[in-house]
Amino acid sequence: MTFRCEAPLLQGWLVRLEPLSRRHAADLAVAAEENRGTYEFTWVPRAEKVGQYIDEQLAREETGRLLPYAQVSLATGRAVGATAYWEPRCWRSDDQLDAVEVGFTWLSGSAQGTGINAEAKLLLFRHAFEVWDVSRVDLKTDARNSRSRAAIQSVGARFEGVLRNWSRSWAPGEEGRLRDSAIFSITAEEWPECRARLEERVARFAGRPRSLVEAAEEG
């Protein structure tokens, strides 16, 4: 694959997605410890291991398989979580991206339910479909993770099924074990409807009546 993804800064009304770096470590260490009860099946580092976590994500970035982001709350200016593009795939030609996953996502307890997750997904999906021109964006989670599955469906992704023993488990105490993964996706044909729903949802959280397109054009 010769197509090389680059991670641009993506900004909305509630969140700014910045390419992950060591400068986000202090904020993420605080965010990761807020409410660990929400991370039962998700890889979220302990505060003392955030530096190692960032280094591991940046090492994955060097392979071309991951583009990691810090999620920065515009209300506070602090990083409140992370997300990423993952596993870019070129099926038709070496210079056309056909599909990419959005994953490695987590948010601090106080940032959950604030619209940040919805807007981050909107920004990531929009860039994938409208700049990279992908045919598909997919998301996956531990099949047991009902909270994550509900969050994925809430941003418009469709459930496709469960793949058994599909990837490593991130659940505490399950090191070295495999998990069943629930797979979701959005296709290019579904994107316009999904985008409209996400824009409306984000606008409600932000108290703004306009679409992100209008806001971006004004900026």
Side-chain angles (χ1 to χ4, degrees):
M1 183 179 75
T2 59
F3 183 91
R4 181 72 181 182
C5 293
E6 296 182 354
L9 185 147
L10 301 172
Q11 181 156 327
W13 290 326
L14 305 171
V15 66
R16 181 171 60 250
L17 300 183
E18 299 179 355
L20 183 67
S21 73
R22 293 281 295 194
R23 67 188 176 86
H24 298 113
D27 285 353
L28 292 179
V30 174
E33 294 295 336
E34 273 194 14
N35 181 4
R36 297 201 61 88
T38 64
Y39 304 144
E40 185 178 4
F41 299 104
T42 304
W43 180 35
V44 180
R46 301 301 309 224
E48 66 274 13
K49 293 188 176 180
V50 163
Q52 177 184 338
Y53 165 86
I54 292 174
D55 289 344
E56 290 177 3
Q57 293 295 72
L58 295 180
R60 289 184 176 92
E61 183 176 23
E62 287 299 312
T63 70
R65 297 179 62 202
L66 183 78
L67 293 177
Y69 281 98
Q71 301 194 64
V72 177
S73 166
L74 295 184
T76 66
R78 298 180 65 86
V80 293
T83 191
Y85 288 118
W86 173 235
E87 297 284 14
R89 281 151 282 157
C90 298
W91 292 318
R92 292 172 292 183
S93 69
D94 287 343
D95 58 1
Q96 170 63 49
L97 188 64
D98 290 300
V100 69
E101 181 177 333
V102 169
F104 288 99
T105 300
W106 62 272
L107 281 171
S108 66
S110 61
Q112 295 173 27
T114 65
I116 285 178
N117 178 61
E119 187 172 49
K121 293 297 192 297
L122 174 59
L123 295 169
L124 292 166
F125 295 165
R126 189 176 66 183
H127 188 80
F129 284 116
E130 300 179 17
V131 177
W132 290 335
D133 196 28
V134 300
S135 296
R136 167 190 174 94
V137 170
D138 42 72
L139 307 94
K140 66 177 182 286
T141 188
D142 192 305
R144 300 167 294 179
N145 193 341
S146 58
R147 179 192 295 267
S148 178
R149 291 175 65 158
I152 291 171
Q153 288 183 297
S154 76
V155 298
R158 295 192 181 186
F159 175 60
E160 294 186 328
V162 173
L163 299 179
R164 296 178 297 168
N165 290 345
W166 181 251
S167 62
R168 64 174 290 185
S169 173
W170 299 104
E174 294 188 358
E175 292 78 7
R177 292 176 56 183
L178 296 175
R179 75 176 195 192
D180 296 346
S181 291
I183 308 298
F184 299 79
S185 71
I186 301 167
T187 66
E189 294 76 15
E190 296 163 348
W191 168 236
E193 180 180 353
C194 176
R195 172 177 172 161
R197 289 172 56 192
L198 274 175
E199 286 181 339
E200 181 180 357
R201 184 177 172 190
V202 171
R204 288 199 304 269
F205 275 107
R208 304 289 293 273
R210 302 161 305 151
S211 72
L212 284 178
V213 173
E214 292 172 303
E217 289 174 348
E218 289 182 7

